[in-house]
Amino acid sequence: GQQLNQSPQSMFIQEGEDVSMNCTSSSIFNTWLWYKQDPGEGPVLLIALYKAGELTSNGRLTAQFGITRKDSFLNISASIPSDVGIYFCAGSPLSGNTPLVFGKGTRLSVIA
Amino acid sequence: KAGVTQTPRYLIKTRGQQVTLSCSPISGHRSVSWYQQTPGQGLQFLFEYFSETQRNKGNFPGRFSGRQFSNSRSEMNVSTLELGDSALYLCASSFYPAGERATEAFFGQGTRLTVV
């Protein structure tokens, strides 16, 4: 089946630092979604991307849909303690009738 | 606009029992997908329903089943529970079915199932 490679698996950063994480796929996707999940809760949608090359921001978060349609990245600027959590990427494959594919997540820890 | 609602939030069951979990999607959304999340395996796709029809099924045993009602609410059932079924079960709703159009999927808070 299709897989997404999400990296890094975990990050420890100082408060105020910028963060970058990315996802790559072996196949072409027509949608990229980025989620954040807090412990014991469901993932919350942060950013949705629909076009190759698209760059979208949501507050301190910025995500881009790669030109090749096989990758996406998420940046968080000036991290704060509440950014702690697990970030997931998800992609919708180009072929129809196929469920979303999820990365295994990036666990972010912010040191105050 | 209410989000995705899953009930119950927490559940403890004994091995061999069965369990039914419920998911009410966002109003107007007709697609509901179910996922199992465990620490080691991440989000594993169970199945997707759209307009009361199962469109996709993940690689899970037949003990896992689901259905969707005419109001788009969905239930999933796990029979003959095993210890390994302990997980967070998440449902996600979207307006369009997966793969048909660019669409966003919104998750509920999940049901934490513990099998003892």
Side-chain angles (χ1 to χ4, degrees):
Chain A
Q2 300 183 9
Q3 293 184 339
L4 286 183
N5 294 312
Q6 185 172 353
S7 64
Q9 281 188 315
S10 62
M11 304 179 74
F12 288 83
I13 61 169
Q14 292 280 349
E15 184 177 358
E17 286 185 346
D18 296 344
V19 172
S20 185
M21 59 193 78
N22 68 83
C23 277
T24 59
S25 166
S26 57
S27 23
I28 293 174
F29 284 3
N30 64 15
T31 302
W32 284 97
L33 306 172
W34 284 92
Y35 293 87
K36 176 177 183 270
Q37 186 176 26
D38 293 327
E41 302 290 329
V44 174
L45 182 63
L46 299 173
I47 293 179
L49 302 161
Y50 300 111
K51 294 181 185 178
E54 179 182 354
L55 186 71
T56 297
S57 293
N58 178 7
R60 294 178 295 106
L61 278 60
T62 302
Q64 185 160 28
F65 193 138
I67 291 292
T68 65
R69 305 179 78 173
K70 292 183 178 182
D71 61 344
S72 177
F73 72 75
L74 174 71
N75 284 345
I76 305 173
S77 63
S79 58
I80 59 178
S82 62
D83 290 334
V84 166
I86 302 177
Y87 292 81
F88 290 96
C89 62
S92 182
L94 191 61
S95 55
N97 195 24
T98 307
L100 284 175
V101 181
F102 283 83
K104 291 194 178 295
T106 295
R107 183 180 294 275
L108 178 64
S109 300
V110 179
I111 304 167
Chain B
K1 193 172 184 182
V4 180
T5 303
Q6 289 189 246
T7 57
R9 286 294 310 274
Y10 304 94
L11 209 46
I12 299 176
K13 290 286 189 178
T14 305
R15 267 185 308 176
Q17 287 186 312
Q18 74 162 14
V19 68
T20 299
L21 312 181
S22 177
C23 173
S24 293
I26 291 171
S27 177
H29 285 191
R30 292 187 293 161
S31 173
V32 174
S33 297
W34 289 89
Y35 297 84
Q36 181 195 66
Q37 187 178 36
T38 56
Q41 296 297 321
L43 280 155
Q44 302 289 311
F45 173 75
L46 281 155
F47 25 67
E48 180 201 3
Y49 287 88
F50 181 78
S51 293
E52 301 178 67
T53 300
Q54 187 180 90
R55 296 183 79 245
N56 281 298
K57 190 176 191 306
N59 189 24
F60 277 82
R63 300 185 296 107
F64 291 81
S65 62
R67 59 178 175 167
Q68 187 179 35
F69 302 96
S70 58
N71 62 358
S72 295
R73 189 177 71 86
S74 177
E75 289 181 346
M76 67 163 281
N77 184 275
V78 188
S79 62
T80 320
L81 284 165
E82 300 176 0
L83 295 179
D85 296 333
S86 295
L88 181 67
Y89 289 88
L90 294 160
C91 81
S93 84
S94 57
F95 188 83
Y96 296 111
E100 282 205 0
R101 292 189 199 191
T103 187
E104 303 153 346
F106 298 89
F107 283 88
Q109 290 182 299
T111 294
R112 170 73 62 185
L113 172 64
T114 302
V115 182
V116 297

